[in-house]
Amino acid sequence: MNVYIKNNTFWFEVENLTRLFFPNEKISVFKEFSAVQAPYIYTELGDTITVRVKIGDFLRESHAAASASNGENELQTVRLLYRILAEYSGVEQPWGLLTGVRPIKLLRKLDRTVGKEAAKQKFLHDYFVSEEKTALALQTEAHEQRIIEQSHPDSFSLYVGIPFCPSRCSYCSFVMASVERAQKLIAPYVDLLCEELKVTAQIANDCGLRLESVYFGGGTPTTLSAEQLDRVLGTVNRCFDLSRCHEFTVEAGRPDTVTAEKLFALKENNIDRISINPQTLSDSVLCAIGRKHTAEQFLEAFALARRCGFENINTDLIAGLPTDTPESFCRSLDTVLGLNAESITVHTLCMKRAANLTTEGKTLNREEALAARQMVAYARERLTANGYIPYYLYRQTRMVGNLENVGWSKPGCESYYNVYVMDETHTILACGCGGVSKLRDQSSDYLERIFNFKYPYEYIDRFDEMLNRKAQISRFYGKKTVDYSAE
């Protein structure tokens, strides 16, 4: 699909909206051109806004009066384009013309500027968001707000990345290494991660920051041995002030990595929330996506975690997985509900560019989108009926059905970290491979990012270089910087 942009700067928004309707096609954007080649989307800003679409025999052109406001012209352009593409495809997108990751943050911003009812109407009528998704957004925003209000100007959260997994799932594009291939890197990685945690704790203390939540993600943190987990978690407990920390979460995501020894190591280190994630309870679907465990292993791991004393367990499911059906997804959800998990996160399959599914030629189609929408609708109905509330939500590009990921929980069991990271409420300090620290200026929406190296071998080989990047934290908070590599 060729996209032509004349006299405006809206190419990013136009391209993203086009991708909603043509997720499998290459989209080429032209800002300078002498001719227009079909199939095409053409937008022009002059005294009027012009949008023209030509695909085969389909040709439509729409106009609107231009405004002095560039933001209003951008909105009008994508509104005109959305209506034409919806007519061409016969598809109304559930989130309308919204393409961003954080629709709840947008809703909250509108609420603060124009009020809740006007924000709702803007979602419905300006952005073409469906009534169902608008209602979900309003619910989620209300539950998020209670957690956001507990953050302080000097608050921060800590993310710790463990970039190892038993194997790569077919839908995954995270930077991780299979244990089989990266075994020799794990021990030196743990050594250096503990050093990075010590330095980060010192910086946080020097800057007078207050720790609100801790989240160990990956990868799969429980690919580490019980002894390695104890060492890393113990470093956090010794070096950081956890006296005002609301939660300490560890992803025990792969059931085949969960053992009694590892769970006891977590309990000994004050972990009060874990996540055990089967993604589906259909063995045939698990096989299709490259998971090396069975549904029965998940049930055993969940029961073991209960016996070890864990009273706040999250479990993830994914709607739209290859070979899954609405019927088998519903059985998976009903089984998890029967376990009385404190929170259930319902993701929608995202066709990430670097994932094996995508590189092997898997594409998005309308039938799978309709099936995923049935799955998500069933999840919302059953979870609401069982007393779960939606407490955080985010979206990704190339999601099946253009849907969303929603964290559902029993009231009082919400993950603070998930809310804080999605809202960008306060500073997130990240340690470990692939981590991105986000420093939040509380007087504005400004975020400064500090990137750790993506790959374990880079993290190990260039550790001093990476560690000294953390001097940016001290500078950001107006404190004296230190050369940590020399210590």
Side-chain angles (χ1 to χ4, degrees):
M1 175 63 67
N2 297 319
V3 175
Y4 297 91
I5 307 293
K6 185 174 182 180
N7 296 337
N8 69 57
T9 58
F10 314 145
W11 63 270
F12 181 78
E13 293 74 17
V14 170
E15 180 182 2
N16 282 344
L17 181 59
T18 301
R19 187 168 288 109
L20 293 184
F21 292 91
F22 302 97
N24 302 315
E25 291 192 20
K26 178 183 177 181
I27 299 171
S28 300
V29 179
F30 301 92
K31 303 174 192 176
E32 296 181 5
F33 50 91
S34 57
V36 176
Q37 182 178 350
Y40 68 77
I41 290 168
Y42 175 89
T43 71
E44 181 179 352
L45 176 60
D47 293 334
T48 62
I49 298 167
T50 299
V51 175
R52 186 186 314 124
V53 176
K54 176 73 167 69
I55 307 170
D57 295 333
F58 180 88
L59 175 63
R60 293 290 186 277
E61 183 170 304
S62 294
H63 303 271
S67 165
S69 165
N70 207 42
E72 184 62 28
N73 289 330
E74 176 188 313
L75 177 58
Q76 285 289 6
T77 299
V78 292
R79 280 169 54 86
L80 292 176
L81 178 58
Y82 177 89
R83 294 272 34 119
I84 294 175
L85 294 181
E87 178 189 355
Y88 167 77
S89 64
V91 173
E92 294 285 347
Q93 302 291 345
W95 287 94
L97 53 79
L98 296 185
T99 61
V101 172
R102 298 175 169 85
I104 309 306
K105 187 175 182 180
L106 172 62
L107 180 66
R108 183 174 299 112
K109 182 178 180 180
L110 290 170
D111 184 0
R112 289 171 178 169
T113 55
V114 300
K116 191 171 297 295
E117 182 58 31
K120 173 183 175 181
Q121 295 306 317
K122 199 166 186 67
F123 259 50
L124 288 169
H125 302 300
D126 286 2
Y127 302 149
F128 305 132
V129 180
S130 70
E131 291 190 6
E132 176 192 0
K133 299 307 179 187
T134 299
L136 175 62
L138 288 165
Q139 277 184 289
T140 306
E141 193 280 329
H143 295 309
E144 277 192 4
Q145 188 60 36
R146 293 185 293 104
I147 294 174
I148 291 169
E149 289 172 351
Q150 297 184 51
S151 179
H152 298 260
D154 57 352
S155 291
F156 82 103
S157 290
L158 175 67
Y159 175 82
V160 183
I162 308 295
F164 306 105
C165 273
S167 62
R168 179 181 289 278
C169 299
S170 63
Y171 54 80
C172 180
S173 67
F174 289 129
V175 173
M176 52 74 66
S178 66
V179 172
E180 182 179 358
R181 297 177 59 185
Q183 186 66 51
K184 65 181 181 181
L185 299 177
I186 295 178
Y189 180 84
V190 168
D191 290 342
L192 294 176
L193 178 59
C194 289
E195 290 304 310
E196 186 187 6
L197 286 166
K198 292 174 186 175
V199 168
T200 304
Q202 179 184 334
I203 295 172
N205 182 62
D206 291 345
C207 293
L209 300 181
R210 163 179 174 156
L211 184 57
E212 302 286 349
S213 64
V214 181
Y215 195 97
F216 270 63
T220 305
T222 43
T223 54
L224 300 184
S225 68
E227 293 76 17
Q228 290 167 335
L229 281 170
D230 180 67
R231 185 178 171 201
V232 178
L233 295 169
T235 300
V236 174
N237 276 291
R238 287 190 302 273
C239 297
F240 289 87
D241 179 2
L242 299 173
S243 61
R244 291 172 289 187
C245 187
H246 294 289
E247 71 179 14
F248 198 146
T249 297
V250 171
E251 285 191 5
R254 296 285 286 265
D256 44 337
T257 67
V258 176
T259 66
E261 292 76 18
K262 294 178 185 180
L263 291 173
F264 285 133
L266 302 187
K267 288 296 291 184
E268 287 295 309
N269 283 283
N270 304 312
I271 308 308
D272 53 13
R273 184 178 183 273
I274 63 172
S275 189
I276 307 176
N277 305 325
Q279 315 303 5
T280 174
L281 293 181
S282 168
D283 283 341
S284 62
V285 179
L286 286 169
C287 182
I289 61 176
R291 303 276 283 196
K292 304 299 184 183
H293 65 84
T294 64
E296 185 60 31
Q297 282 178 291
F298 161 73
L299 297 173
E300 291 171 354
F302 193 98
L304 178 61
R306 286 291 196 223
R307 292 197 299 273
C308 290
F310 286 95
E311 299 177 349
N312 191 349
I313 304 177
N314 171 77
T315 188
D316 287 3
L317 295 174
I318 300 178
L321 289 171
T323 77
D324 206 3
T325 65
E327 293 75 21
S328 60
F329 175 85
C330 294
R331 287 194 295 271
S332 294
L333 179 69
D334 289 341
T335 301
V336 172
L337 278 171
L339 297 175
N340 204 27
E342 282 67 35
S343 56
I344 301 172
T345 305
V346 180
H347 296 272
T348 304
L349 177 65
C350 177
M351 298 293 294
K352 299 172 183 176
R353 294 188 184 280
N356 290 342
L357 274 180
T358 305
T359 59
E360 292 170 1
K362 170 70 175 169
T363 58
L364 299 171
N365 64 61
R366 184 172 297 192
E367 291 73 24
E368 290 169 339
L370 292 173
R373 290 177 186 178
Q374 292 177 41
M375 297 174 189
V376 168
Y378 181 83
R380 182 181 182 188
E381 176 186 345
R382 292 284 289 132
L383 289 162
T384 300
N386 281 270
Y388 290 80
I389 58 172
Y391 75 93
Y392 89 108
L393 181 155
Y394 69 101
R395 303 183 64 238
Q396 296 166 282
T397 57
R398 294 176 57 81
M399 297 184 83
V400 174
N402 189 28
L403 292 164
E404 68 281 330
N405 304 319
V406 183
W408 297 83
S409 79
K410 296 180 179 180
C413 296
E414 303 93 328
S415 167
Y416 282 71
Y417 177 84
N418 285 336
V419 172
Y420 291 143
V421 76
M422 278 302 125
D423 178 70
E424 299 176 320
T425 306
H426 57 226
T427 287
I428 306 290
L429 298 184
C431 293
C433 200
V436 180
S437 295
K438 295 182 179 181
L439 313 181
R440 168 70 189 270
D441 180 356
Q442 290 295 326
S443 64
S444 68
D445 286 334
Y446 175 72
L447 286 172
E448 186 170 319
R449 291 171 171 82
I450 306 171
F451 295 87
N452 281 11
F453 290 115
K454 286 185 177 182
Y455 300 99
Y457 71 88
E458 285 183 298
Y459 182 90
I460 293 168
D461 292 345
R462 302 171 66 183
F463 182 74
D464 282 351
E465 176 186 344
M466 184 208 68
L467 205 61
N468 269 310
R469 294 179 185 178
K470 290 200 171 332
Q472 295 178 49
I473 303 171
S474 300
R475 287 195 293 270
F476 186 87
Y477 285 101
K479 304 297 181 181
K480 181 180 178 181
T481 62
V482 176
D483 180 357
Y484 295 102
S485 63
E487 293 191 347

